[in-house]
Coordinates of all heavy atoms in Angstrom, one line a residue:
M23 N 77.8 96.3 86.2 CA 78.0 97.7 86.5 C 76.9 98.5 85.9 O 76.6 98.4 84.7 CB 79.4 98.1 86.0 CG 79.7 99.6 86.3 SD 81.4 100.1 86.1 CE 81.8 99.7 84.4
A24 N 76.3 99.4 86.6 CA 75.2 100.2 86.2 C 75.7 101.4 85.4 O 76.7 102.0 85.8 CB 74.3 100.6 87.3
L25 N 75.0 101.8 84.4 CA 75.3 103.0 83.7 C 74.8 104.2 84.4 O 73.7 104.3 84.9 CB 74.7 103.0 82.3 CG 75.1 104.1 81.4 CD1 76.6 104.2 81.1 CD2 74.3 104.0 80.0
C26 N 75.7 105.2 84.6 CA 75.3 106.4 85.4 C 74.5 107.4 84.5 O 74.9 107.7 83.4 CB 76.6 107.1 85.9 SG 76.3 108.6 86.8
N27 N 73.4 107.9 85.0 CA 72.6 108.8 84.3 C 72.6 110.2 84.9 O 71.9 111.1 84.5 CB 71.1 108.4 84.3 CG 70.9 107.1 83.4 OD1 71.6 107.0 82.4 ND2 70.1 106.2 83.8
D28 N 73.5 110.4 85.9 CA 73.6 111.7 86.6 C 74.5 112.6 85.9 O 75.7 112.6 86.1 CB 74.1 111.4 88.0 CG 74.2 112.7 88.9 OD1 73.5 113.6 88.6 OD2 75.0 112.7 89.8
K29 N 74.0 113.3 84.9 CA 74.8 114.1 84.0 C 75.1 115.5 84.5 O 76.0 116.2 84.0 CB 74.2 114.2 82.6 CG 74.1 112.9 81.9 CD 73.4 113.1 80.6 CE 73.3 111.8 79.9 NZ 72.7 111.9 78.6
C30 N 74.4 116.0 85.5 CA 74.6 117.3 86.0 C 74.3 117.4 87.5 O 73.7 116.4 88.1 CB 73.8 118.4 85.3 SG 72.0 118.1 85.4
G31 N 74.7 118.4 88.2 CA 74.5 118.5 89.6 C 75.6 119.2 90.3 O 76.7 119.5 89.7
Y32 N 75.4 119.4 91.6 CA 76.5 120.0 92.4 C 77.8 119.2 92.5 O 78.9 119.8 92.5 CB 75.9 120.2 93.9 CG 76.8 120.8 94.8 CD1 77.2 122.1 94.8 CD2 77.4 120.0 95.8 CE1 78.1 122.7 95.7 CE2 78.3 120.5 96.7 CZ 78.6 121.9 96.6 OH 79.5 122.4 97.5
D33 N 77.6 117.9 92.5 CA 78.8 117.0 92.5 C 79.7 117.2 91.3 O 80.9 117.1 91.4 CB 78.3 115.6 92.6 CG 79.4 114.6 92.6 OD1 80.3 114.7 93.4 OD2 79.4 113.7 91.7
K34 N 79.1 117.5 90.2 CA 79.9 117.7 89.0 C 80.8 119.0 89.1 O 81.9 119.0 88.6 CB 79.0 117.8 87.7 CG 78.1 116.6 87.5 CD 78.8 115.3 87.5 CE 77.9 114.2 87.3 NZ 77.7 113.4 88.4
W35 N 80.3 120.0 89.7 CA 81.2 121.2 89.9 C 82.4 120.9 90.8 O 83.4 121.4 90.6 CB 80.3 122.3 90.5 CG 79.4 123.0 89.5 CD1 78.1 122.8 89.4 CD2 79.8 123.8 88.4 NE1 77.6 123.5 88.4 CE2 78.7 124.1 87.7 CE3 81.0 124.3 88.0 CZ2 78.7 124.9 86.6 CZ3 81.1 125.1 86.8 CH2 79.9 125.4 86.2
L36 N 82.2 120.1 91.8 CA 83.3 119.7 92.7 C 84.3 118.9 91.9 O 85.5 119.1 92.1 CB 82.8 118.8 93.9 CG 81.9 119.6 94.8 CD1 81.4 118.6 95.9 CD2 82.6 120.8 95.5
H37 N 83.9 118.0 91.0 CA 84.8 117.3 90.1 C 85.5 118.2 89.2 O 86.7 118.1 89.0 CB 84.1 116.2 89.3 CG 83.7 115.0 90.1 ND1 84.6 113.9 90.3 CD2 82.7 114.6 90.9 CE1 84.1 113.0 91.0 NE2 82.9 113.4 91.4
F38 N 84.8 119.2 88.7 CA 85.4 120.2 87.8 C 86.5 120.9 88.5 O 87.7 121.1 88.0 CB 84.4 121.1 87.2 CG 84.9 122.1 86.2 CD1 84.9 121.8 84.9 CD2 85.3 123.3 86.6 CE1 85.3 122.7 83.9 CE2 85.8 124.3 85.7 CZ 85.8 123.9 84.3
I39 N 86.2 121.4 89.7 CA 87.2 122.2 90.5 C 88.4 121.3 90.9 O 89.6 121.8 90.8 CB 86.5 122.8 91.7 CG1 85.5 123.8 91.3 CG2 87.5 123.3 92.7 CD1 84.6 124.3 92.4
M40 N 88.2 120.1 91.3 CA 89.3 119.2 91.7 C 90.2 118.9 90.5 O 91.4 118.8 90.6 CB 88.8 118.0 92.4 CG 88.3 118.2 93.8 SD 89.4 119.3 94.8 CE 90.8 118.3 94.9
G41 N 89.6 118.7 89.3 CA 90.4 118.5 88.1 C 91.3 119.7 87.8 O 92.4 119.5 87.4
A42 N 90.7 120.9 87.9 CA 91.5 122.1 87.7 C 92.7 122.2 88.7 O 93.8 122.5 88.4 CB 90.6 123.3 87.8
V43 N 92.4 121.9 90.0 CA 93.4 122.0 91.0 C 94.5 121.0 90.8 O 95.7 121.3 90.9 CB 92.7 121.8 92.4 CG1 93.8 121.6 93.5 CG2 91.9 123.0 92.8
I44 N 94.1 119.7 90.4 CA 95.1 118.7 90.2 C 96.0 119.1 89.0 O 97.3 119.0 89.0 CB 94.5 117.4 89.9 CG1 93.8 116.8 91.2 CG2 95.5 116.3 89.4 CD1 92.9 115.7 90.9
A45 N 95.4 119.6 87.9 CA 96.2 120.0 86.7 C 97.1 121.2 87.0 O 98.3 121.1 86.6 CB 95.2 120.4 85.6
I46 N 96.7 122.1 87.8 CA 97.6 123.2 88.1 C 98.7 122.8 89.0 O 99.9 123.1 88.8 CB 96.8 124.4 88.8 CG1 95.9 125.0 87.8 CG2 97.7 125.4 89.4 CD1 94.9 126.0 88.3
L47 N 98.4 122.0 90.1 CA 99.4 121.6 91.0 C 100.5 120.7 90.3 O 101.7 121.0 90.4 CB 98.8 120.9 92.2 CG 98.1 121.7 93.2 CD1 97.5 120.8 94.3 CD2 99.0 122.7 93.8
V48 N 100.1 119.7 89.7 CA 101.0 118.8 89.0 C 101.7 119.5 87.9 O 102.9 119.3 87.7 CB 100.3 117.5 88.5 CG1 101.2 116.6 87.7 CG2 99.7 116.7 89.7
G49 N 101.0 120.3 87.1 CA 101.6 120.9 86.0 C 102.6 122.0 86.3 O 103.7 122.0 85.7
V50 N 102.4 122.8 87.3 CA 103.3 123.8 87.7 C 104.6 123.1 88.4 O 105.7 123.6 88.2 CB 102.7 124.8 88.7 CG1 103.7 125.7 89.3 CG2 101.6 125.6 87.9
I51 N 104.3 122.1 89.2 CA 105.5 121.3 89.7 C 106.3 120.7 88.6 O 107.6 120.8 88.6 CB 105.0 120.3 90.7 CG1 104.5 120.9 92.0 CG2 106.2 119.3 91.1 CD1 103.8 120.0 92.9
F52 N 105.7 120.1 87.6 CA 106.4 119.5 86.5 C 107.1 120.6 85.6 O 108.2 120.3 85.0 CB 105.5 118.6 85.7 CG 106.2 117.8 84.6 CD1 106.9 116.7 85.0 CD2 106.3 118.2 83.3 CE1 107.6 115.9 84.0 CE2 106.9 117.5 82.3 CZ 107.6 116.3 82.7
A53 N 106.5 121.7 85.5 CA 107.0 122.8 84.7 C 108.4 123.3 85.2 O 109.2 123.7 84.4 CB 106.1 124.0 84.6
R54 N 108.6 123.1 86.5 CA 109.9 123.6 87.1 C 111.1 122.6 86.8 O 112.2 122.9 87.1 CB 109.7 123.8 88.5 CG 108.7 124.9 88.8 CD 108.7 125.4 90.2 NE 110.0 125.7 90.8 CZ 110.7 126.8 90.6 NH1 110.2 127.8 89.9 NH2 111.9 127.0 91.2
I55 N 110.8 121.4 86.3 CA 111.8 120.4 86.0 C 112.4 120.7 84.6 O 111.7 120.8 83.6 CB 111.2 119.0 86.0 CG1 110.6 118.7 87.4 CG2 112.3 118.0 85.7 CD1 109.9 117.4 87.5
P56 N 113.7 121.0 84.6 CA 114.4 121.3 83.3 C 114.2 120.1 82.4 O 114.2 118.9 82.8 CB 115.8 121.5 83.6 CG 115.8 121.9 85.1 CD 114.7 121.1 85.7
P57 N 114.1 120.2 81.1 CA 114.3 121.4 80.3 C 113.1 122.3 80.0 O 113.1 123.0 79.0 CB 114.8 120.8 79.0 CG 114.1 119.5 78.9 CD 113.9 119.0 80.3
H58 N 112.1 122.3 80.9 CA 110.9 123.1 80.8 C 110.2 123.1 79.4 O 110.1 124.0 78.7 CB 111.3 124.6 81.1 CG 112.1 124.8 82.3 ND1 111.7 124.4 83.5 CD2 113.4 125.2 82.4 CE1 112.7 124.7 84.4 NE2 113.7 125.2 83.7
M59 N 109.6 121.9 79.1 CA 108.9 121.7 77.9 C 107.4 121.9 78.1 O 106.8 121.2 78.8 CB 109.2 120.3 77.3 CG 110.7 120.1 77.0 SD 111.0 118.4 76.4 CE 110.6 117.4 77.8
P60 N 106.9 123.0 77.5 CA 105.5 123.4 77.7 C 104.5 122.3 77.4 O 103.5 122.0 78.1 CB 105.3 124.6 76.9 CG 106.6 125.2 76.7 CD 107.6 124.0 76.7
W61 N 104.6 121.7 76.2 CA 103.6 120.7 75.8 C 103.7 119.4 76.6 O 102.7 118.8 76.9 CB 103.7 120.4 74.3 CG 103.2 121.6 73.5 CD1 103.9 122.5 72.8 CD2 101.9 122.2 73.5 NE1 103.2 123.5 72.3 CE2 101.9 123.3 72.7 CE3 100.7 121.8 74.1 CZ2 100.8 124.1 72.5 CZ3 99.5 122.6 73.9 CH2 99.6 123.7 73.1
W62 N 104.9 119.0 77.0 CA 105.0 117.8 77.9 C 104.4 118.1 79.3 O 103.8 117.2 79.9 CB 106.4 117.4 78.0 CG 106.8 116.5 76.9 CD1 107.7 116.7 75.9 CD2 106.3 115.2 76.7 NE1 107.8 115.7 75.1 CE2 107.0 114.7 75.5 CE3 105.4 114.3 77.3 CZ2 106.7 113.4 75.0 CZ3 105.2 113.1 76.8 CH2 105.8 112.6 75.6
T63 N 104.5 119.4 79.7 CA 103.9 119.8 80.9 C 102.4 119.6 80.9 O 101.8 119.1 81.8 CB 104.3 121.2 81.3 OG1 105.7 121.3 81.3 CG2 103.7 121.7 82.6
V64 N 101.8 120.0 79.8 CA 100.3 119.8 79.6 C 100.0 118.4 79.6 O 99.0 117.9 80.2 CB 99.8 120.6 78.3 CG1 98.4 120.2 78.0 CG2 100.0 122.1 78.5
V65 N 100.7 117.6 78.9 CA 100.5 116.1 78.8 C 100.5 115.5 80.2 O 99.6 114.7 80.5 CB 101.4 115.4 77.8 CG1 101.4 113.9 77.9 CG2 101.2 115.9 76.4
V66 N 101.5 115.8 80.9 CA 101.7 115.2 82.3 C 100.6 115.7 83.2 O 100.0 114.9 84.0 CB 103.1 115.6 82.9 CG1 103.1 115.3 84.4 CG2 104.2 114.9 82.1
A67 N 100.2 117.0 83.1 CA 99.1 117.5 83.9 C 97.8 116.9 83.6 O 97.1 116.4 84.5 CB 99.0 119.0 83.8
L68 N 97.4 116.8 82.3 CA 96.2 116.1 82.0 C 96.2 114.6 82.2 O 95.2 114.1 82.6 CB 95.8 116.5 80.5 CG 95.5 117.9 80.2 CD1 95.2 118.1 78.8 CD2 94.3 118.4 81.1
G69 N 97.3 114.0 82.0 CA 97.4 112.6 82.3 C 97.2 112.3 83.8 O 96.6 111.3 84.1
S70 N 97.8 113.2 84.6 CA 97.6 113.0 86.0 C 96.2 113.2 86.5 O 95.6 112.5 87.3 CB 98.5 113.9 86.8 OG 98.2 115.2 86.6
V71 N 95.5 114.1 85.8 CA 94.1 114.3 86.1 C 93.3 113.1 85.7 O 92.4 112.6 86.5 CB 93.5 115.6 85.4 CG1 92.0 115.7 85.4 CG2 94.1 116.9 85.9
L72 N 93.6 112.5 84.6 CA 92.8 111.4 84.1 C 93.1 110.2 85.0 O 92.2 109.4 85.4 CB 93.2 111.1 82.7 CG 92.4 110.0 82.0 CD1 90.9 110.5 81.9 CD2 92.9 109.9 80.5
V73 N 94.4 109.9 85.4 CA 94.7 108.8 86.2 C 94.1 108.9 87.6 O 93.5 108.0 88.1 CB 96.3 108.6 86.3 CG1 96.6 107.7 87.4 CG2 96.8 108.2 85.0
I74 N 94.2 110.1 88.2 CA 93.6 110.3 89.5 C 92.1 110.2 89.5 O 91.5 109.6 90.4 CB 94.1 111.6 90.1 CG1 95.6 111.6 90.4 CG2 93.3 112.0 91.4 CD1 96.2 112.9 90.8
G75 N 91.5 110.7 88.4 CA 90.0 110.6 88.2 C 89.6 109.2 88.1 O 88.6 108.8 88.7
V76 N 90.3 108.4 87.3 CA 89.9 106.9 87.2 C 90.1 106.2 88.5 O 89.2 105.4 88.9 CB 90.8 106.3 86.0 CG1 90.6 104.8 86.1 CG2 90.3 106.8 84.7
I77 N 91.2 106.4 89.2 CA 91.4 105.8 90.5 C 90.3 106.1 91.5 O 89.8 105.3 92.2 CB 92.8 106.1 91.0 CG1 93.9 105.5 90.2 CG2 92.9 105.7 92.5 CD1 95.3 105.9 90.5
K78 N 89.9 107.4 91.5 CA 88.8 107.8 92.4 C 87.5 107.2 92.0 O 86.8 106.7 92.9 CB 88.7 109.3 92.4 CG 87.9 109.9 93.5 CD 86.5 110.4 93.0 CE 85.8 111.0 94.1 NZ 84.5 110.4 94.4
E79 N 87.2 107.1 90.7 CA 85.9 106.4 90.3 C 86.0 104.9 90.6 O 84.9 104.4 90.9 CB 85.6 106.8 88.9 CG 85.2 108.2 88.6 CD 84.1 108.6 89.5 OE1 83.1 107.9 89.6 OE2 84.1 109.8 90.0
L80 N 87.1 104.3 90.4 CA 87.2 102.9 90.7 C 87.0 102.7 92.2 O 86.4 101.7 92.6 CB 88.5 102.3 90.2 CG 88.7 102.1 88.7 CD1 90.1 101.7 88.4 CD2 87.7 101.1 88.2
H81 N 87.6 103.5 93.0 CA 87.4 103.5 94.5 C 85.9 103.6 94.8 O 85.4 102.9 95.7 CB 88.2 104.5 95.1 CG 88.1 104.5 96.6 ND1 87.2 105.3 97.3 CD2 88.8 103.8 97.6 CE1 87.3 105.1 98.6 NE2 88.3 104.2 98.8
D82 N 85.3 104.6 94.2 CA 83.8 104.8 94.4 C 83.0 103.6 94.0 O 82.0 103.2 94.6 CB 83.3 106.0 93.6 CG 83.7 107.3 94.3 OD1 84.3 107.3 95.4 OD2 83.5 108.4 93.7
S83 N 83.4 102.9 92.9 CA 82.6 101.8 92.4 C 82.7 100.6 93.4 O 81.8 99.7 93.4 CB 83.1 101.3 91.1 OG 84.4 100.8 91.1
N84 N 83.7 100.5 94.2 CA 83.9 99.4 95.2 C 83.1 99.7 96.5 O 82.9 98.8 97.3 CB 85.4 99.2 95.5 CG 86.1 98.6 94.4 OD1 85.5 97.8 93.6 ND2 87.3 98.8 94.2
A85 N 82.7 101.0 96.7 CA 82.0 101.3 97.9 C 80.5 100.9 97.8 O 80.0 100.9 96.7 CB 82.0 102.9 98.1
S86 N 79.9 100.5 98.9 CA 78.6 100.0 98.8 C 77.6 101.2 98.5 O 77.8 102.3 99.0 CB 78.2 99.4 100.1 OG 78.2 100.3 101.2
G87 N 76.7 100.9 97.6 CA 75.7 102.0 97.2 C 76.2 103.0 96.3 O 75.6 104.0 96.1
N88 N 77.4 102.8 95.7 CA 78.0 103.7 94.8 C 78.4 103.0 93.5 O 78.3 101.8 93.4 CB 79.2 104.4 95.4 CG 79.4 105.8 95.0 OD1 78.9 106.2 93.9 ND2 80.2 106.6 95.7
H89 N 78.8 103.8 92.5 CA 79.1 103.2 91.2 C 80.1 104.0 90.5 O 80.4 105.2 90.9 CB 77.8 103.1 90.3 CG 77.2 104.4 90.1 ND1 76.4 105.1 91.0 CD2 77.3 105.3 89.0 CE1 76.0 106.2 90.5 NE2 76.5 106.4 89.3
F90 N 80.7 103.5 89.4 CA 81.6 104.2 88.6 C 80.8 105.1 87.7 O 80.0 104.7 87.0 CB 82.4 103.2 87.7 CG 83.5 103.9 86.9 CD1 84.8 103.9 87.3 CD2 83.2 104.5 85.6 CE1 85.8 104.4 86.6 CE2 84.2 105.0 84.9 CZ 85.5 105.0 85.4
C91 N 81.1 106.4 87.8 CA 80.3 107.4 87.1 C 81.2 108.1 86.0 O 82.1 108.8 86.3 CB 79.8 108.5 88.0 SG 78.7 109.7 87.2
F92 N 80.9 107.7 84.7 CA 81.6 108.3 83.6 C 81.5 109.8 83.6 O 82.5 110.5 83.2 CB 81.1 107.7 82.3 CG 81.7 108.3 81.1 CD1 83.0 108.1 80.7 CD2 81.0 109.3 80.3 CE1 83.6 108.7 79.6 CE2 81.5 109.9 79.2 CZ 82.8 109.6 78.9
W93 N 80.4 110.4 84.0 CA 80.2 111.8 83.9 C 81.1 112.5 85.0 O 81.6 113.6 84.7 CB 78.7 112.2 84.1 CG 77.9 111.6 83.1 CD1 77.0 110.5 83.2 CD2 77.8 112.0 81.7 NE1 76.5 110.2 81.9 CE2 77.0 111.1 81.0 CE3 78.5 113.0 81.0 CZ2 76.7 111.2 79.7 CZ3 78.2 113.1 79.6 CH2 77.3 112.3 79.0
N94 N 81.3 111.9 86.1 CA 82.2 112.5 87.1 C 83.6 112.5 86.6 O 84.3 113.5 86.7 CB 82.2 111.6 88.4 CG 80.9 111.9 89.2 OD1 80.1 112.7 89.0 ND2 80.8 111.0 90.2
L95 N 84.0 111.5 85.9 CA 85.3 111.4 85.3 C 85.5 112.5 84.2 O 86.5 113.2 84.1 CB 85.6 110.0 84.7 CG 87.0 109.8 84.1 CD1 88.1 110.0 85.1 CD2 87.0 108.4 83.6
L96 N 84.4 112.6 83.4 CA 84.5 113.6 82.3 C 84.6 115.0 82.9 O 85.3 115.8 82.3 CB 83.2 113.4 81.4 CG 83.2 114.2 80.1 CD1 84.3 113.6 79.2 CD2 81.9 114.0 79.4
Y97 N 83.8 115.3 83.9 CA 83.9 116.7 84.5 C 85.2 116.9 85.1 O 85.7 118.0 85.1 CB 82.7 116.9 85.5 CG 81.4 117.4 84.8 CD1 80.6 116.5 84.2 CD2 81.1 118.7 84.8 CE1 79.4 116.9 83.6 CE2 79.9 119.1 84.2 CZ 79.1 118.2 83.6 OH 78.0 118.6 82.9
T98 N 85.8 115.9 85.7 CA 87.1 116.1 86.3 C 88.1 116.4 85.2 O 89.0 117.3 85.4 CB 87.5 114.8 87.0 OG1 86.6 114.4 88.0 CG2 88.9 114.9 87.7
F99 N 88.0 115.7 84.1 CA 88.9 116.0 83.0 C 88.7 117.4 82.4 O 89.6 118.1 82.0 CB 88.8 114.9 81.9 CG 89.8 115.1 80.8 CD1 91.1 114.7 81.0 CD2 89.4 115.6 79.6 CE1 92.1 114.9 80.0 CE2 90.4 115.8 78.6 CZ 91.7 115.4 78.8
Y100 N 87.4 117.8 82.3 CA 87.1 119.1 81.8 C 87.7 120.2 82.7 O 88.2 121.2 82.1 CB 85.6 119.3 81.7 CG 84.9 118.7 80.6 CD1 83.5 118.5 80.6 CD2 85.5 118.2 79.5 CE1 82.8 117.9 79.6 CE2 84.8 117.6 78.5 CZ 83.5 117.4 78.5 OH 82.8 116.8 77.5
G101 N 87.7 120.0 84.0 CA 88.3 121.0 84.9 C 89.8 121.1 84.6 O 90.4 122.2 84.6
G102 N 90.5 120.0 84.4 CA 91.9 120.0 84.1 C 92.2 120.6 82.8 O 93.1 121.4 82.6
F103 N 91.3 120.3 81.8 CA 91.5 120.9 80.5 C 91.3 122.4 80.4 O 92.0 123.1 79.7 CB 90.6 120.2 79.5 CG 90.8 120.5 78.0 CD1 91.9 120.0 77.4 CD2 90.0 121.4 77.4 CE1 92.1 120.3 76.0 CE2 90.2 121.7 76.1 CZ 91.3 121.2 75.4
A104 N 90.3 122.9 81.2 CA 90.0 124.3 81.2 C 91.2 125.1 81.7 O 91.4 126.3 81.2 CB 88.8 124.5 82.1
L105 N 92.0 124.6 82.6 CA 93.1 125.4 83.1 C 94.5 124.9 82.8 O 95.5 125.2 83.4 CB 93.0 125.5 84.7 CG 91.8 126.4 85.1 CD1 91.8 126.5 86.6 CD2 91.8 127.8 84.5
C106 N 94.6 124.0 81.8 CA 95.9 123.4 81.5 C 96.8 124.5 80.8 O 98.0 124.2 80.7 CB 95.7 122.2 80.6 SG 95.1 122.5 78.9
W107 N 96.3 125.6 80.4 CA 97.1 126.6 79.9 C 98.0 127.3 80.9 O 99.1 127.8 80.6 CB 96.3 127.7 79.2 CG 95.3 128.4 80.1 CD1 94.1 128.0 80.4 CD2 95.6 129.6 80.8 NE1 93.5 128.9 81.3 CE2 94.4 129.9 81.6 CE3 96.7 130.5 80.9 CZ2 94.4 131.0 82.4 CZ3 96.6 131.6 81.7 CH2 95.4 131.9 82.4
L108 N 97.7 127.2 82.2 CA 98.5 127.8 83.2 C 99.9 127.0 83.4 O 100.9 127.6 83.4 CB 97.8 127.9 84.5 CG 96.8 129.0 84.7 CD1 96.0 128.8 85.9 CD2 97.5 130.3 84.6
P109 N 99.8 125.7 83.5 CA 101.1 125.0 83.5 C 101.9 125.2 82.2 O 103.2 125.2 82.2 CB 100.7 123.5 83.7 CG 99.4 123.5 84.3 CD 98.7 124.8 83.8
W110 N 101.2 125.2 81.1 CA 101.9 125.5 79.8 C 102.6 126.8 79.8 O 103.8 126.9 79.5 CB 100.9 125.5 78.6 CG 101.6 125.7 77.3 CD1 102.0 124.7 76.5 CD2 101.9 126.9 76.7 NE1 102.6 125.2 75.4 CE2 102.5 126.6 75.4 CE3 101.8 128.2 77.0 CZ2 103.0 127.6 74.6 CZ3 102.2 129.2 76.1 CH2 102.9 128.9 74.9
L111 N 101.9 127.8 80.3 CA 102.5 129.2 80.4 C 103.7 129.2 81.4 O 104.7 129.8 81.1 CB 101.5 130.2 80.9 CG 101.9 131.6 81.0 CD1 102.3 132.2 79.6 CD2 100.8 132.5 81.6
A112 N 103.6 128.5 82.5 CA 104.7 128.4 83.5 C 105.9 127.8 82.8 O 107.0 128.3 83.0 CB 104.3 127.6 84.7
A113 N 105.7 126.7 82.1 CA 106.9 126.0 81.5 C 107.5 126.9 80.4 O 108.7 127.0 80.2 CB 106.5 124.6 80.9
Y114 N 106.6 127.5 79.7 CA 107.1 128.4 78.6 C 107.9 129.6 79.1 O 109.0 129.9 78.6 CB 105.9 129.0 77.8 CG 106.3 129.9 76.7 CD1 106.8 129.4 75.5 CD2 106.1 131.3 76.8 CE1 107.2 130.3 74.5 CE2 106.5 132.1 75.8 CZ 107.0 131.7 74.7 OH 107.4 132.5 73.6
L115 N 107.4 130.2 80.2 CA 108.2 131.3 80.7 C 109.5 130.9 81.4 O 110.5 131.6 81.3 CB 107.3 132.1 81.8 CG 106.1 132.8 81.2 CD1 105.2 133.4 82.3 CD2 106.5 133.9 80.2
L116 N 109.5 129.7 82.0 CA 110.7 129.2 82.5 C 111.7 128.8 81.4 O 112.9 129.0 81.6 CB 110.4 128.0 83.4 CG 109.8 128.3 84.8 CD1 109.3 127.1 85.4 CD2 110.8 129.0 85.7
A117 N 111.2 128.4 80.3 CA 112.1 128.0 79.2 C 112.7 129.2 78.6 O 113.9 129.2 78.2 CB 111.3 127.2 78.1
I118 N 112.0 130.3 78.4 CA 112.6 131.5 77.8 C 113.4 132.2 78.7 O 114.3 133.0 78.3 CB 111.5 132.4 77.1 CG1 110.6 133.0 78.2 CG2 110.8 131.7 76.0 CD1 109.6 134.0 77.6
D119 N 113.2 132.0 80.0 CA 114.0 132.7 81.0 C 115.4 132.1 81.1 O 116.4 132.7 81.5 CB 113.3 132.7 82.4 CG 114.0 133.5 83.4 OD1 114.5 134.6 83.0 OD2 114.1 133.1 84.6
G120 N 115.5 130.8 80.8 CA 116.8 130.1 80.8 C 117.0 129.4 82.0 O 117.7 128.8 82.5

């Protein structure tokens, strides 16, 4: 397996955006499940970003002319991490609302 040297570029912004979208979607859906625990919501959201990112990179590594890119995975996780406060806030507000 070749080491990826592509540390920046347009592709990385797409990974960042998709990581953020995955974290928000999964996190907000999970936040609505009682008992509305904010930190577990963040763990589930970021865990799903990481799992989906690894699966996507493994899929890319099996395609001809492509490889597993650690930087793509890192940018995907950064996108999820940047907006993980939104699912936390959703779970927190649902918890105090009762």
Side-chain angles (χ1 to χ4, degrees):
M23 179 165 57
L25 184 62
C26 180
N27 292 325
D28 183 24
K29 294 182 182 178
C30 60
Y32 178 72
D33 179 53
K34 305 306 181 251
W35 284 107
L36 295 176
H37 281 273
F38 185 88
I39 291 167
M40 287 314 298
V43 168
I44 292 166
I46 290 172
L47 287 176
V48 172
V50 170
I51 290 169
F52 188 79
R54 298 193 47 83
I55 299 172
H58 313 298
M59 297 180 293
W61 290 110
W62 275 112
T63 302
V64 171
V65 168
V66 168
L68 291 179
S70 65
V71 169
L72 191 58
V73 167
I74 292 170
V76 167
I77 290 170
K78 195 252 185 237
E79 289 304 317
L80 287 174
H81 180 268
D82 285 350
S83 69
N84 291 330
S86 62
N88 211 339
H89 60 279
F90 186 96
C91 184
F92 173 75
W93 299 106
N94 286 350
L95 182 60
L96 193 62
Y97 275 82
T98 304
F99 185 76
Y100 284 164
F103 187 76
L105 292 183
C106 69
W107 61 273
L108 284 172
W110 184 92
L111 183 63
Y114 178 77
L115 292 174
L116 287 167
I118 62 172
D119 188 36

